[in-house]
Amino acid sequence: MKRKNNSSFLVSACLLLTLGANLACTSYYGDAEAVSGDLSKSGGDYSLSGEGADSPNGIGSGNTEAGIVTAGEWCDLTHWAFWSGLMQNTDSTGYADKSDYWRFYTNNRVAVRVVDADGTPLPGLSVELLRSTGESQATLWKAVTDNRGLANCWVGLFQRETADASTLRVSVGGELMDGHPLLCSWDSTVQQTAINTYTMAVHLDAPVEWQADVAFIVDATGSMMDEINFLKSDLVDIINKASSVRPSMKIRTAALFYRDEGDEYLTRHSDFTEKLNTTADFVKKQSADGGGDYPEAVHSALEQMLQQLSWHAPHTRLAFLVLDAPAHHEDKVIQSLQKSIQLCAQMGIRLIPVAASGVDKNTEFMLRFFAIATGGTYVFLTNDSGVGGDHIAATVGDYEVEQLNALLIRLIEQYTEW
């Protein structure tokens, strides 16, 4: 089902600057006009609901509530002009204040694509954005290329500033690239987004075995009680089917549930394992309780996700962050969020938030900042299923309404394709 949104912002992309010697500029993720809903499949082989078949990983059936929850997906990185319009609109219908509220400033983006001599994307390479300061160079941002060879770096992500492209350089895999990168600022009048393509003098054979780490970070406070059993069933169903996305892929799963300060527990987790039934069994045992006030310990969840989960897959690292409430709006919490997001980007962990019922606009934009900064995408539950409380309409363009389990399986497939 395609959902047409009423938000009206100009479709555009970014400001193109002077090309460096070793640099090519192409459309980032394709034409911005053509992406409304086109990236999604209508479920296909992954839209099965009810009792799933037994899997080779030993996860049994009985997920009778899987496949009920509905959701949409919107990637701001592929709709950069739309996002620019949101960030530039300062009147009562705009959301320009969200940058100052969360202290995330996405107006200085450097989009990078790395390929080998044959034009094949190079995944898992470190990318550093550097600024020349006299004879030295300071590192501004570190990222890792994804399965499409893409990475995003930022100038002043946590403080508002105007960047000068002539002072910037890009390093890939420790090798300094020629020229200055194109800088992609907020601009809602141009038709394509700038991408800096760097060609490495190597030829990369397909990996013998693609490896992926997939984690589920879940808010387990009392406000999630209306949906958590359905979400648990979907997560178990997703874990069950994940190994069949790409039979040749080595996949590990993990889960971390969190609450808030003063609750029975702050976080509890099950570390990465190839025995997917271990993760599924852990998820089945969790319940929603505690909380009390609206904000929850999102910062603690991200800290523990980074410290307690043993990330090491060289190709794909995904973290699905399922919640219905924002982080506490305090200086120390925001600083913790910034540090965690920066570390996620450095480690190549793509955050994919899943917004449940109860999310307000501050929470929505917090989650979208997380996704943008780490190369992820934004997922939001919809009212179509009739499950849970009311779901706020996401401020996005046209999108497909999908079953949540099918959508997340599609994203795992999308981020592991090579």
Side-chain angles (χ1 to χ4, degrees):
M1 180 196 309
K2 178 172 276 190
R3 176 64 44 78
K4 187 173 285 292
N5 239 4
N6 293 324
S7 302
S8 58
F9 293 94
L10 294 175
V11 176
S12 64
C14 290
L15 182 64
L16 303 180
L17 303 177
T18 307
L19 284 173
N22 222 6
L23 208 52
C25 178
T26 60
S27 172
Y28 191 78
Y29 288 92
D31 184 77
E33 294 273 11
V35 291
S36 295
D38 293 342
L39 291 179
S40 62
K41 304 173 186 174
S42 56
D45 292 337
Y46 306 115
S47 62
L48 300 176
S49 62
E51 295 181 333
D54 290 335
S55 81
N57 296 287
I59 303 175
S61 60
N63 301 326
T64 56
E65 294 168 325
I68 295 177
V69 177
T70 54
E73 181 231 346
W74 182 263
C75 184
D76 289 301
L77 290 170
T78 67
H79 299 82
W80 195 247
F82 189 96
W83 176 256
S84 295
L86 295 178
M87 293 295 98
Q88 291 177 307
N89 190 348
T90 58
D91 64 23
S92 59
T93 63
Y95 296 93
D97 62 319
K98 303 308 178 189
S99 282
D100 286 329
Y101 187 82
W102 289 114
R103 300 177 211 166
F104 276 73
Y105 303 95
T106 56
N107 56 308
N108 295 310
R109 172 187 174 194
V110 175
V112 170
R113 183 171 185 259
V114 184
V115 298
D116 70 6
D118 298 323
T120 302
L122 294 176
L125 286 181
S126 63
V127 176
E128 293 189 37
L129 182 62
L130 309 171
R131 174 184 278 157
S132 298
T133 54
E135 296 183 357
S136 62
Q137 292 181 327
T139 299
L140 301 180
W141 195 260
K142 295 181 181 180
V144 178
T145 56
D146 65 10
N147 57 310
R148 295 158 294 179
L150 299 169
N152 288 279
C153 295
W154 308 92
V155 180
L157 184 63
F158 305 133
Q159 70 250 349
R160 188 182 294 276
E161 66 173 274
T162 301
D164 179 0
S166 67
T167 66
L168 303 178
R169 300 288 297 275
V170 171
S171 171
V172 177
E175 180 181 346
L176 190 64
M177 300 292 101
D178 293 338
H180 303 292
L182 305 178
L183 190 65
C184 181
S185 58
W186 292 332
D187 192 327
S188 58
T189 62
V190 188
Q191 290 301 310
Q192 291 184 336
T193 304
I195 181 172
N196 302 279
T197 299
Y198 298 102
T199 300
M200 309 299 286
V202 297
H203 173 79
L204 183 67
D205 294 326
V208 176
E209 181 181 57
W210 192 274
Q211 299 180 39
D213 286 345
V214 180
F216 301 93
I217 316 302
V218 184
D219 178 350
T221 55
S223 60
M224 289 286 289
M225 198 174 297
D226 61 336
E227 291 176 318
I228 196 164
N229 286 333
F230 291 93
L231 291 170
K232 282 165 53 181
S233 296
D234 272 345
L235 294 183
V236 170
D237 189 59
I238 292 161
I239 294 166
N240 189 7
K241 295 173 181 175
S243 60
S244 63
V245 171
R246 302 193 185 283
S248 61
M249 178 174 66
K250 178 181 177 181
I251 184 170
R252 302 189 311 153
T253 56
L256 184 147
F257 282 64
Y258 71 94
R259 292 185 178 171
D260 203 4
E261 299 286 349
D263 288 342
E264 176 189 357
Y265 66 85
L266 188 57
T267 67
R268 57 171 53 154
H269 71 280
S270 176
D271 200 5
F272 282 111
T273 177
E274 293 179 48
K275 298 178 180 179
L276 307 192
N277 60 311
T278 299
T279 307
D281 288 342
F282 173 79
V283 170
K284 291 177 185 177
K285 295 175 183 177
Q286 306 311 311
S287 61
D289 199 1
D293 56 349
Y294 182 45
E296 310 296 0
V298 180
H299 69 295
S300 298
L302 293 178
E303 289 174 355
Q304 293 303 301
M305 178 195 78
L306 292 165
Q307 295 172 17
Q308 300 298 327
L309 301 187
S310 55
W311 299 91
H312 68 59
H315 303 121
T316 298
R317 300 178 180 183
L318 302 178
F320 292 98
L321 177 60
V322 185
L323 54 72
D324 69 349
H328 292 273
H329 195 258
E330 304 168 2
D331 286 346
K332 64 179 182 180
V333 170
I334 291 176
Q335 291 168 8
S336 173
L337 294 174
Q338 292 173 341
K339 183 177 179 180
S340 291
I341 294 304
Q342 188 171 11
L343 190 53
C344 282
Q346 183 177 332
M347 295 173 62
I349 300 170
R350 323 283 163 189
L351 282 178
I352 302 178
V354 180
S357 64
V359 162
D360 64 5
K361 283 300 164 183
N362 282 334
T363 312
E364 174 186 334
F365 278 85
M366 178 194 77
L367 296 177
R368 289 169 76 170
F369 286 133
F370 290 177
I372 288 170
T374 62
T377 187
Y378 179 61
V379 176
F380 47 94
L381 304 192
T382 70
N383 285 333
D384 299 87
S385 67
V387 171
D390 188 53
H391 302 86
I392 192 171
T395 306
V396 298
D398 298 349
Y399 63 90
E400 296 282 348
V401 177
E402 305 175 64
Q403 293 173 324
L404 177 65
N405 58 346
L407 194 164
L408 298 193
I409 285 288
R410 174 176 65 77
L411 291 176
I412 293 173
E413 181 183 47
Q414 179 179 309
Y415 280 91
T416 56
E417 182 179 11
W418 192 79

Coordinates of all heavy atoms in Angstrom, one line a residue, residues 148-216:
R148 N 27.5 -0.8 -0.4 CA 27.5 -0.1 -1.7 C 28.7 0.9 -1.9 O 28.8 1.7 -2.8 CB 26.2 0.7 -1.9 CG 25.0 -0.1 -1.9 CD 23.7 0.6 -1.5 NE 23.8 1.0 -0.1 CZ 22.8 1.7 0.5 NH1 21.7 2.0 -0.2 NH2 22.9 2.0 1.8
G149 N 29.7 0.8 -0.9 CA 30.9 1.6 -1.0 C 30.6 3.0 -0.5 O 31.4 3.9 -0.8
L150 N 29.5 3.3 0.2 CA 29.1 4.6 0.5 C 29.4 4.9 2.0 O 29.3 4.0 2.9 CB 27.6 4.8 0.3 CG 27.1 4.6 -1.1 CD1 25.5 4.5 -1.1 CD2 27.5 5.7 -2.0
A151 N 29.8 6.1 2.2 CA 30.0 6.6 3.6 C 29.7 8.1 3.6 O 29.8 8.8 2.6 CB 31.4 6.4 4.0
N152 N 29.3 8.6 4.8 CA 29.0 10.1 5.0 C 29.9 10.6 6.1 O 29.9 10.0 7.2 CB 27.5 10.3 5.2 CG 26.7 10.1 4.0 OD1 26.6 10.9 3.2 ND2 26.1 8.9 3.9
C153 N 30.5 11.7 5.8 CA 31.3 12.4 6.9 C 30.7 13.8 7.1 O 29.9 14.3 6.2 CB 32.7 12.6 6.4 SG 33.6 11.0 6.3
W154 N 31.0 14.4 8.2 CA 30.3 15.7 8.6 C 31.3 16.7 9.2 O 32.3 16.3 9.9 CB 29.3 15.4 9.7 CG 28.4 14.3 9.3 CD1 28.5 12.9 9.5 CD2 27.2 14.4 8.5 NE1 27.5 12.2 8.9 CE2 26.6 13.1 8.3 CE3 26.5 15.5 7.9 CZ2 25.5 12.9 7.6 CZ3 25.4 15.3 7.2 CH2 24.8 14.0 7.0
V155 N 31.1 17.9 8.8 CA 31.8 19.0 9.4 C 30.9 19.7 10.4 O 29.8 20.1 10.1 CB 32.2 20.1 8.4 CG1 33.0 21.2 9.0 CG2 33.1 19.5 7.2
G156 N 31.4 19.7 11.7 CA 30.6 20.4 12.7 C 29.2 19.8 13.0 O 28.2 20.5 13.1
L157 N 29.2 18.5 13.0 CA 27.9 17.8 13.3 C 27.3 18.2 14.6 O 26.0 18.3 14.8 CB 28.0 16.3 13.2 CG 26.7 15.5 13.3 CD1 25.8 15.8 12.2 CD2 27.0 14.0 13.5
F158 N 28.1 18.5 15.6 CA 27.6 18.8 16.9 C 27.7 20.3 17.3 O 27.5 20.7 18.5 CB 28.3 18.0 18.0 CG 28.3 16.5 17.7 CD1 29.4 15.7 17.7 CD2 27.1 15.9 17.3 CE1 29.3 14.4 17.4 CE2 27.0 14.6 17.0 CZ 28.1 13.8 17.1
Q159 N 28.1 21.1 16.4 CA 28.1 22.6 16.6 C 27.9 23.3 15.3 O 28.4 22.8 14.2 CB 29.4 23.1 17.2 CG 30.6 23.1 16.3 CD 31.6 22.0 16.7 OE1 31.5 21.4 17.8 NE2 32.5 21.8 15.9
R160 N 27.1 24.3 15.3 CA 26.7 25.0 14.0 C 27.9 25.7 13.5 O 28.6 26.5 14.2 CB 25.6 25.9 14.3 CG 25.0 26.6 13.0 CD 23.9 27.5 13.3 NE 22.7 26.9 13.9 CZ 21.8 26.3 13.2 NH1 21.9 26.3 11.8 NH2 20.7 25.8 13.8
E161 N 28.3 25.5 12.2 CA 29.4 26.2 11.6 C 29.2 26.2 10.1 O 28.5 25.4 9.5 CB 30.7 25.6 12.0 CG 31.0 24.3 11.5 CD 32.5 23.8 11.8 OE1 33.4 24.1 11.0 OE2 32.7 23.2 12.8
T162 N 30.0 27.1 9.5 CA 30.0 27.2 8.0 C 31.3 26.6 7.6 O 32.4 27.1 7.9 CB 29.9 28.6 7.5 OG1 28.6 29.2 8.0 CG2 29.9 28.7 6.0
A163 N 31.2 25.6 6.8 CA 32.5 24.9 6.3 C 33.1 25.5 5.1 O 32.4 26.0 4.2 CB 32.1 23.4 6.1
D164 N 34.4 25.4 5.0 CA 35.1 25.8 3.8 C 35.7 24.6 3.1 O 36.6 24.0 3.7 CB 36.2 26.8 4.2 CG 37.0 27.3 3.1 OD1 36.8 26.9 1.9 OD2 38.0 28.1 3.3
A165 N 35.2 24.2 2.0 CA 35.6 23.0 1.3 C 37.1 23.0 0.9 O 37.7 22.0 0.8 CB 34.8 22.8 0.0
S166 N 37.6 24.2 0.7 CA 39.0 24.3 0.3 C 40.0 23.9 1.4 O 41.2 23.7 1.1 CB 39.4 25.8 -0.1 OG 39.3 26.7 1.0
T167 N 39.5 23.8 2.6 CA 40.4 23.3 3.7 C 40.2 21.8 4.0 O 40.9 21.3 4.9 CB 40.0 24.1 5.0 OG1 38.7 23.7 5.5 CG2 40.1 25.6 4.8
L168 N 39.4 21.1 3.2 CA 39.0 19.7 3.5 C 39.7 18.8 2.6 O 40.0 19.0 1.4 CB 37.5 19.5 3.4 CG 36.6 20.4 4.3 CD1 35.1 20.1 4.0 CD2 37.0 20.3 5.8
R169 N 40.1 17.6 3.2 CA 40.6 16.5 2.4 C 39.9 15.2 2.9 O 39.4 15.1 4.0 CB 42.1 16.4 2.6 CG 42.9 17.6 2.1 CD 42.9 17.8 0.6 NE 43.6 16.6 -0.1 CZ 44.9 16.6 -0.3 NH1 45.7 17.5 0.2 NH2 45.5 15.6 -0.9
V170 N 40.0 14.2 2.1 CA 39.4 12.9 2.4 C 40.5 11.8 2.4 O 41.3 11.8 1.4 CB 38.3 12.5 1.5 CG1 37.9 11.0 1.7 CG2 37.1 13.4 1.7
S171 N 40.6 11.0 3.4 CA 41.5 9.8 3.4 C 40.6 8.6 3.4 O 39.7 8.4 4.1 CB 42.3 9.9 4.7 OG 43.0 8.7 4.8
V172 N 41.0 7.6 2.5 CA 40.3 6.3 2.4 C 41.3 5.2 2.7 O 42.4 5.1 2.0 CB 39.7 6.1 1.0 CG1 39.1 4.8 0.9 CG2 38.7 7.2 0.7
G173 N 41.0 4.4 3.6 CA 41.9 3.3 4.0 C 43.3 3.8 4.3 O 44.3 3.1 4.1
G174 N 43.4 5.0 4.9 CA 44.7 5.5 5.3 C 45.5 6.2 4.1 O 46.5 6.8 4.3
E175 N 44.9 6.3 2.9 CA 45.5 6.9 1.8 C 44.8 8.2 1.5 O 43.6 8.3 1.3 CB 45.4 6.0 0.6 CG 46.0 6.6 -0.7 CD 45.9 5.7 -1.9 OE1 45.6 4.5 -1.7 OE2 46.1 6.1 -3.0
L176 N 45.6 9.3 1.4 CA 45.0 10.6 1.2 C 44.6 10.8 -0.2 O 45.4 10.6 -1.2 CB 46.1 11.7 1.6 CG 45.6 13.2 1.6 CD1 44.5 13.3 2.8 CD2 46.7 14.1 1.9
M177 N 43.4 11.2 -0.5 CA 42.8 11.4 -1.8 C 43.2 12.7 -2.3 O 43.4 13.7 -1.6 CB 41.3 11.2 -1.8 CG 40.8 9.9 -1.3 SD 41.2 8.5 -2.5 CE 42.6 7.7 -1.6
D178 N 43.3 12.8 -3.7 CA 43.6 14.1 -4.3 C 42.5 15.1 -4.2 O 41.3 14.7 -4.3 CB 44.0 13.9 -5.8 CG 45.3 13.1 -5.9 OD1 46.1 13.1 -5.0 OD2 45.5 12.5 -7.0
G179 N 42.8 16.3 -4.2 CA 41.7 17.4 -4.3 C 40.9 17.6 -3.1 O 41.1 16.9 -2.1
H180 N 40.0 18.5 -3.2 CA 39.1 18.8 -2.1 C 37.7 18.2 -2.4 O 37.3 18.3 -3.5 CB 39.0 20.3 -1.9 CG 40.3 21.0 -1.6 ND1 41.0 20.8 -0.5 CD2 41.0 21.9 -2.4 CE1 42.2 21.5 -0.5 NE2 42.2 22.2 -1.7
P181 N 37.1 17.7 -1.4 CA 35.7 17.1 -1.6 C 34.7 18.1 -1.9 O 34.7 19.3 -1.4 CB 35.5 16.3 -0.3 CG 36.2 17.1 0.7 CD 37.4 17.6 0.1
L182 N 33.6 17.7 -2.6 CA 32.4 18.5 -2.7 C 31.7 18.5 -1.4 O 31.5 17.4 -0.7 CB 31.5 17.9 -3.8 CG 32.1 17.6 -5.2 CD1 31.1 17.0 -6.1 CD2 32.6 19.0 -5.7
L183 N 31.2 19.6 -1.0 CA 30.5 19.8 0.2 C 29.0 19.9 0.0 O 28.5 20.7 -0.9 CB 31.0 21.0 1.0 CG 30.5 21.3 2.4 CD1 31.1 20.2 3.3 CD2 31.0 22.6 2.9
C184 N 28.2 19.1 0.6 CA 26.8 19.0 0.4 C 26.1 19.7 1.6 O 26.0 19.1 2.7 CB 26.3 17.6 0.3 SG 24.6 17.4 0.0
S185 N 25.6 20.9 1.4 CA 24.9 21.7 2.4 C 23.4 21.5 2.3 O 22.9 20.8 1.4 CB 25.3 23.1 2.4 OG 25.0 23.7 1.1
W186 N 22.7 22.2 3.1 CA 21.2 22.2 3.0 C 20.9 23.1 1.8 O 21.2 24.2 1.7 CB 20.5 22.8 4.2 CG 20.6 21.9 5.4 CD1 20.8 20.6 5.5 CD2 20.6 22.4 6.8 NE1 20.8 20.1 6.8 CE2 20.7 21.2 7.6 CE3 20.5 23.6 7.4 CZ2 20.7 21.3 9.0 CZ3 20.5 23.7 8.8 CH2 20.6 22.5 9.6
D187 N 20.2 22.5 0.8 CA 19.8 23.2 -0.4 C 18.6 22.5 -1.0 O 18.6 21.3 -1.3 CB 20.9 23.2 -1.4 CG 20.7 24.2 -2.6 OD1 19.5 24.4 -2.9 OD2 21.6 24.8 -3.1
S188 N 17.5 23.2 -1.0 CA 16.2 22.6 -1.5 C 15.8 23.1 -2.9 O 14.7 23.1 -3.3 CB 15.1 22.9 -0.6 OG 14.9 24.3 -0.4
T189 N 16.9 23.5 -3.7 CA 16.6 24.0 -5.1 C 17.3 23.2 -6.2 O 17.0 23.5 -7.4 CB 17.0 25.5 -5.2 OG1 18.4 25.6 -4.9 CG2 16.2 26.3 -4.1
V190 N 18.2 22.3 -5.9 CA 19.0 21.6 -6.9 C 18.4 20.2 -7.0 O 17.8 19.7 -6.1 CB 20.5 21.7 -6.6 CG1 21.3 21.1 -7.7 CG2 20.9 23.1 -6.2
Q191 N 18.7 19.6 -8.2 CA 18.0 18.3 -8.5 C 18.8 17.1 -8.1 O 18.3 16.0 -8.2 CB 17.7 18.3 -10.0 CG 16.5 19.2 -10.4 CD 15.3 19.0 -9.6 OE1 14.8 17.9 -9.5 NE2 14.7 20.0 -9.0
Q192 N 20.1 17.2 -7.8 CA 20.9 16.0 -7.5 C 21.8 16.3 -6.3 O 22.1 17.4 -6.0 CB 21.7 15.5 -8.7 CG 20.9 15.0 -9.8 CD 21.8 14.5 -10.9 OE1 22.9 14.9 -11.1 NE2 21.2 13.5 -11.7
T193 N 22.1 15.2 -5.6 CA 23.0 15.3 -4.4 C 24.4 15.0 -4.8 O 24.6 14.1 -5.6 CB 22.5 14.3 -3.3 OG1 21.2 14.6 -3.0 CG2 23.4 14.5 -2.1
A194 N 25.3 15.8 -4.3 CA 26.7 15.6 -4.7 C 27.3 14.4 -4.0 O 27.1 14.1 -2.8 CB 27.5 16.8 -4.3
I195 N 28.1 13.6 -4.7 CA 28.8 12.5 -4.2 C 30.2 12.5 -4.7 O 30.5 12.8 -5.8 CB 28.1 11.1 -4.5 CG1 28.9 10.0 -3.9 CG2 28.0 10.9 -6.0 CD1 28.2 8.6 -4.0
N196 N 31.2 12.3 -3.8 CA 32.6 12.2 -4.1 C 33.0 10.8 -4.3 O 33.0 10.0 -3.4 CB 33.4 12.8 -3.0 CG 33.0 14.2 -2.6 OD1 33.4 15.2 -3.3 ND2 32.1 14.4 -1.6
T197 N 33.3 10.4 -5.6 CA 33.6 9.0 -5.9 C 35.1 8.9 -6.0 O 35.8 9.6 -6.8 CB 33.0 8.6 -7.2 OG1 31.6 8.7 -7.1 CG2 33.4 7.2 -7.6
Y198 N 35.7 8.0 -5.3 CA 37.1 7.8 -5.3 C 37.4 6.4 -5.8 O 36.8 5.4 -5.3 CB 37.7 7.9 -3.9 CG 37.6 9.3 -3.3 CD1 36.6 9.6 -2.4 CD2 38.4 10.4 -3.8 CE1 36.4 10.9 -1.9 CE2 38.2 11.6 -3.3 CZ 37.3 11.9 -2.3 OH 37.1 13.2 -1.8
T199 N 38.3 6.2 -6.7 CA 38.7 4.9 -7.3 C 40.0 4.5 -6.8 O 41.0 5.2 -6.9 CB 38.7 5.0 -8.8 OG1 37.5 5.5 -9.4 CG2 39.1 3.7 -9.5
M200 N 40.0 3.3 -6.1 CA 41.2 2.8 -5.6 C 41.8 1.8 -6.6 O 41.1 1.1 -7.3 CB 40.9 2.0 -4.3 CG 40.1 2.8 -3.3 SD 40.9 4.3 -2.7 CE 42.2 3.6 -1.6
A201 N 43.1 1.8 -6.7 CA 43.8 1.0 -7.7 C 44.0 -0.4 -7.2 O 45.1 -1.0 -7.1 CB 45.2 1.6 -7.9
V202 N 42.8 -1.1 -7.0 CA 42.8 -2.5 -6.6 C 41.6 -3.1 -7.3 O 40.8 -2.5 -7.9 CB 42.6 -2.6 -5.0 CG1 43.8 -2.0 -4.3 CG2 41.3 -2.0 -4.6
H203 N 41.6 -4.5 -7.3 CA 40.5 -5.2 -7.8 C 40.0 -6.1 -6.7 O 40.8 -6.9 -6.1 CB 40.9 -6.1 -9.0 CG 39.8 -7.0 -9.4 ND1 38.7 -6.6 -10.2 CD2 39.6 -8.3 -9.2 CE1 37.9 -7.6 -10.4 NE2 38.4 -8.6 -9.8
L204 N 38.8 -6.0 -6.3 CA 38.2 -6.7 -5.2 C 37.4 -7.9 -5.7 O 36.4 -7.7 -6.4 CB 37.4 -5.8 -4.3 CG 36.8 -6.4 -3.0 CD1 38.0 -6.8 -2.1 CD2 35.8 -5.5 -2.4
D205 N 37.8 -9.1 -5.3 CA 36.9 -10.3 -5.5 C 35.8 -10.3 -4.5 O 35.9 -9.8 -3.4 CB 37.8 -11.5 -5.4 CG 38.8 -11.6 -6.5 OD1 38.5 -11.1 -7.6 OD2 39.9 -12.1 -6.3
A206 N 34.7 -10.9 -4.9 CA 33.6 -11.1 -4.0 C 34.0 -11.9 -2.7 O 34.8 -12.8 -2.9 CB 32.4 -11.8 -4.6
P207 N 33.6 -11.4 -1.5 CA 34.0 -12.2 -0.3 C 33.5 -13.6 -0.4 O 32.4 -13.9 -0.8 CB 33.4 -11.4 0.8 CG 32.3 -10.6 0.2 CD 32.8 -10.3 -1.2
V208 N 34.3 -14.5 0.1 CA 33.9 -15.9 0.1 C 32.6 -16.1 1.0 O 31.7 -16.8 0.7 CB 35.0 -16.8 0.7 CG1 34.6 -18.3 0.8 CG2 36.2 -16.7 -0.3
E209 N 32.6 -15.3 2.1 CA 31.5 -15.4 3.0 C 31.2 -14.0 3.5 O 32.0 -13.4 4.2 CB 31.8 -16.3 4.2 CG 30.7 -16.5 5.2 CD 31.0 -17.4 6.3 OE1 32.1 -17.1 7.0 OE2 30.3 -18.4 6.5
W210 N 30.0 -13.4 3.2 CA 29.6 -12.1 3.7 C 29.2 -12.3 5.2 O 28.5 -13.2 5.5 CB 28.4 -11.6 2.9 CG 28.2 -10.1 3.2 CD1 27.4 -9.6 4.2 CD2 28.7 -9.0 2.5 NE1 27.5 -8.2 4.2 CE2 28.2 -7.8 3.1 CE3 29.5 -8.9 1.3 CZ2 28.5 -6.6 2.7 CZ3 29.8 -7.6 0.9 CH2 29.3 -6.5 1.6
Q211 N 29.7 -11.4 6.0 CA 29.4 -11.5 7.4 C 28.6 -10.2 7.9 O 29.0 -9.1 7.5 CB 30.7 -11.6 8.2 CG 31.6 -12.8 7.9 CD 32.9 -12.9 8.6 OE1 32.9 -12.5 9.8 NE2 33.9 -13.3 8.0
A212 N 27.6 -10.5 8.7 CA 26.8 -9.4 9.2 C 26.5 -9.6 10.7 O 26.2 -10.7 11.1 CB 25.5 -9.4 8.4
D213 N 26.6 -8.5 11.4 CA 26.1 -8.4 12.8 C 24.8 -7.6 12.8 O 24.8 -6.5 12.4 CB 27.1 -7.7 13.7 CG 28.3 -8.6 14.0 OD1 28.3 -9.8 13.7 OD2 29.4 -8.1 14.4
V214 N 23.7 -8.2 13.4 CA 22.5 -7.5 13.5 C 22.0 -7.5 14.9 O 21.8 -8.5 15.5 CB 21.4 -8.1 12.6 CG1 20.1 -7.4 12.7 CG2 21.9 -8.2 11.1
A215 N 21.8 -6.3 15.5 CA 21.4 -6.2 16.9 C 20.0 -5.5 17.0 O 19.7 -4.6 16.1 CB 22.4 -5.4 17.7
F216 N 19.3 -5.8 18.0 CA 18.0 -5.2 18.3 C 18.0 -4.6 19.6 O 18.2 -5.3 20.6 CB 16.9 -6.3 18.2 CG 16.8 -7.0 16.9 CD1 17.5 -8.2 16.6 CD2 16.0 -6.4 15.8 CE1 17.4 -8.8 15.4 CE2 16.0 -7.1 14.6 CZ 16.7 -8.3 14.4

